[in-house]
Amino acid sequence: MNISNRARNIPPSSTLAITAQVRAMKAEGKDVIGFGAGEPDFTTPALICEAAAKALSGGMTHYVPTPGTPEAREAVAAKLREENGIDCTADHICINNGAKFTVFLALQALLDPGDEVVLPTPAWVSYKPMIELAGGVMVEVATDASSDFKMTPEQLEQAITSDTKVLLLNSPSNPCGTMYSQDEVRGLVAVLERHPHVVVVSDEIYERLVYGDEPNLSMGSLASMRDRVVTINGLSKAFAMTGWRIGYACAPGGDGALIKAMNKLQSQMTSSITSFTMPAVVAALTEGRAEVEGMRQIFAGRAKRIHELVSAWDGVVCPEPTGAFYIFPDISCSFGRTSPGGIRIESALDFASALLDETGVAVVPGNDFLGPGAKHVRMSFATSEDLILEGCRRMEDWLGQLSACEQVASG
Ligand code: PMP
Ligand code: GLU
């Protein structure tokens, strides 16, 4: 079978690969603690499940309109108007099979070959492959811990050229667990106002899971940006609905021109999301706020706890998570050392692989997140506090048993 270059050249999603590996190890009866999966450990709130079950048993099993039912699109538009301050109507919304596919469709609808996409890194593993699948060219802006992994206005200014088509922004951030403050968003906007040819794809899938004093500021709510921001969100993370595959985009510019283009593509690809989940979208967005807040509070407690545990490890540095459910420690203090099982650690990949083999703790090596990611691992705290405690205890013991650094040993 001759596989296309396109398919051959794209790496598989490393986050999903680790999740699958942990699942397989558990099925074999191994004692594994998974900090890999970026998915809530909660079950979907009952009121949402009931809405879908009722629609299913009531016969809502036929094709539905490609961008979503009018009720579901209106529920999304109302949420974005009321909670995010985005001036939009149902015509500016499309609902897709997970926010991952929403980002993919948006890039397919925006990019022509050679168009540049500014991407601050470390960034979610799927962005680069998606940019490339759309024929775009990634322009990486590497950030580091000194700015809490946030791109500065100066860095943005430098990265923009006449070929820039898109700025792909993700706040709160996967994998960094940090978020742009409202002032920082405004600082980026001041630069973007000078470059009206740049469209912003703003992935706000973690916007409800924030732990600081300030809520997320949606760039699309600022009047000067309304017509050139695509706001992307979905139900997976905030409502614990990863398996349902529901994402959406809002793009009011040109009276929904981008949404029409995305719908056209979707009509040739998936037709729509699953029909009987449409009423669940309405239920989640209109009646699910208290449920989301309950889960957010639990995540906030875990963010604090895991940060206390991880920052106590000798030589390991990491900012406290302010959003999403990830902590992103710099583990480069382990490089040049040997694990208790005899593996020499030179990279985050070696670290993660030896850690899993020797302690049963799964973390995601930061390499595929780009930028300085290769010095980091990502740990998801979308898991119970007991497992966080036990996993961190195993990691601390293991770190304590690494051999002395070679430089120290020879010096
Ligand atoms: N964006 C980011 C930054 C993510 O971490 C994820 C996680 N999968 C997604 C988009 C997509 O979420 P989903 O497809 O489950 O809606
Ligand atoms: N976004 C989650 C993660 O980063 C789920 C897996 C994926 O889609 O990448 O782990």
Side-chain angles (χ1 to χ4, degrees):
M1 189 70 80
N2 287 329
I3 302 300
S4 71
N5 288 336
R6 186 190 312 111
R8 271 192 287 126
N9 292 338
I10 239 63
S13 160
S14 52
T15 46
L16 290 183
I18 283 156
T19 310
Q21 191 182 353
V22 168
R23 200 180 294 130
M25 288 172 80
K26 282 186 181 160
E28 285 168 18
K30 294 199 172 126
D31 170 23
V32 190
I33 295 182
F35 290 136
E39 70 170 336
D41 51 324
F42 306 112
T43 47
T44 305
L47 71 95
I48 303 173
C49 297
E50 280 155 18
K54 192 164 157 224
L56 178 59
S57 57
M60 193 176 179
T61 54
H62 296 95
Y63 288 131
V64 286
T66 293
T69 59
E71 297 77 18
R73 291 174 91 192
E74 177 49 35
V76 173
K79 176 256 183 276
L80 291 169
R81 283 193 303 264
E82 288 159 23
E83 291 179 14
N84 303 73
I86 299 175
D87 173 17
C88 64
T89 70
D91 289 341
H92 306 143
I93 307 298
C94 63
I95 303 177
N96 322 103
N97 305 70
K100 183 181 266 180
F101 192 57
T102 311
V103 177
F104 178 84
L105 278 182
L107 294 174
Q108 289 287 330
L110 283 166
L111 298 180
D112 282 313
D115 284 343
E116 293 178 359
V117 178
V118 174
L119 181 69
T121 59
W124 180 41
V125 294
S126 293
Y127 292 143
K128 179 172 184 267
M130 287 189 198
I131 293 166
E132 290 172 355
L133 284 169
V137 176
M138 178 186 72
V139 176
E140 188 182 347
V141 176
T143 67
D144 60 33
S146 69
S147 66
D148 263 0
F149 302 103
K150 288 178 276 192
M151 176 176 64
T152 62
E154 294 72 29
Q155 284 179 307
L156 175 60
E157 181 74 62
Q158 269 178 12
I160 293 176
T161 71
S162 56
D163 290 330
T164 307
K165 187 72 178 280
V166 166
L167 162 63
L168 178 45
L169 209 59
N170 168 222
S171 177
S173 157
N174 174 6
C176 306
T178 56
M179 65 183 278
Y180 289 82
S181 70
Q182 303 206 352
D183 277 351
E184 285 163 342
V185 172
R186 290 197 179 88
L188 297 180
V189 166
V191 175
L192 291 162
E193 283 171 350
R194 293 196 286 276
H195 301 281
H197 63 294
V198 179
V199 172
V200 180
V201 174
S202 181
D203 180 346
E204 302 182 14
I205 187 117
Y206 297 102
E207 53 129 17
R208 303 288 291 277
L209 305 178
V210 300
Y211 316 119
D213 304 331
E214 262 189 358
N216 168 64
L217 173 62
S218 290
M219 202 183 267
S221 69
L222 302 176
S224 68
M225 295 302 293
R226 173 188 181 263
D227 288 347
R228 56 190 179 107
V229 175
V230 191
T231 306
I232 292 180
N233 204 332
L235 272 48
S236 287
K237 313 290 176 169
F239 295 92
M241 291 174 70
T242 45
W244 292 65
R245 314 307 306 128
I246 301 171
Y248 56 81
C250 169
D255 207 15
L258 177 66
I259 295 300
K260 290 190 186 94
M262 290 170 70
N263 283 337
K264 195 161 54 159
L265 292 171
Q266 175 152 283
S267 78
Q268 297 287 20
M269 294 182 180
T270 61
S271 301
S272 76
I273 68 166
T274 303
S275 55
F276 53 82
T277 64
M278 292 285 178
V281 174
V282 179
L285 295 176
T286 55
E287 298 164 51
R289 285 182 199 190
E291 306 275 355
V292 174
E293 177 54 19
M295 292 188 269
R296 189 199 66 79
Q297 285 177 11
I298 296 173
F299 282 130
R302 292 176 184 174
K304 214 167 172 324
R305 190 79 187 98
I306 197 167
H307 181 252
E308 281 163 7
L309 294 166
V310 171
S311 21
W313 300 340
D314 209 16
V316 173
V317 189
C318 74
E320 182 165 347
T322 49
F325 36 61
Y326 306 108
I327 189 161
F328 197 53
D330 179 336
I331 47 79
S332 57
C333 60
S334 67
F335 296 176
R337 302 169 74 180
T338 304
S339 73
I343 303 296
R344 191 180 155 80
I345 299 170
E346 300 288 6
S347 69
L349 283 168
D350 299 336
F351 180 100
S353 147
L355 181 74
L356 181 57
D357 284 350
E358 297 171 21
T359 69
V361 176
V363 298
V364 183
N367 304 63
D368 286 353
F369 299 113
L370 309 176
K375 295 196 299 182
H376 295 254
V377 293
R378 188 191 79 179
M379 297 166 66
S380 157
F381 49 88
T383 193
S384 73
E385 189 150 342
D386 284 351
L387 289 176
I388 290 173
L389 286 173
E390 173 59 12
C392 287
R393 187 197 60 73
R394 289 189 201 177
M395 284 180 79
E396 186 168 9
D397 280 359
W398 183 81
L399 284 164
Q401 291 173 54
L402 295 183
S403 70
C405 180
E406 208 162 72
Q407 274 167 327
V408 175
S410 60

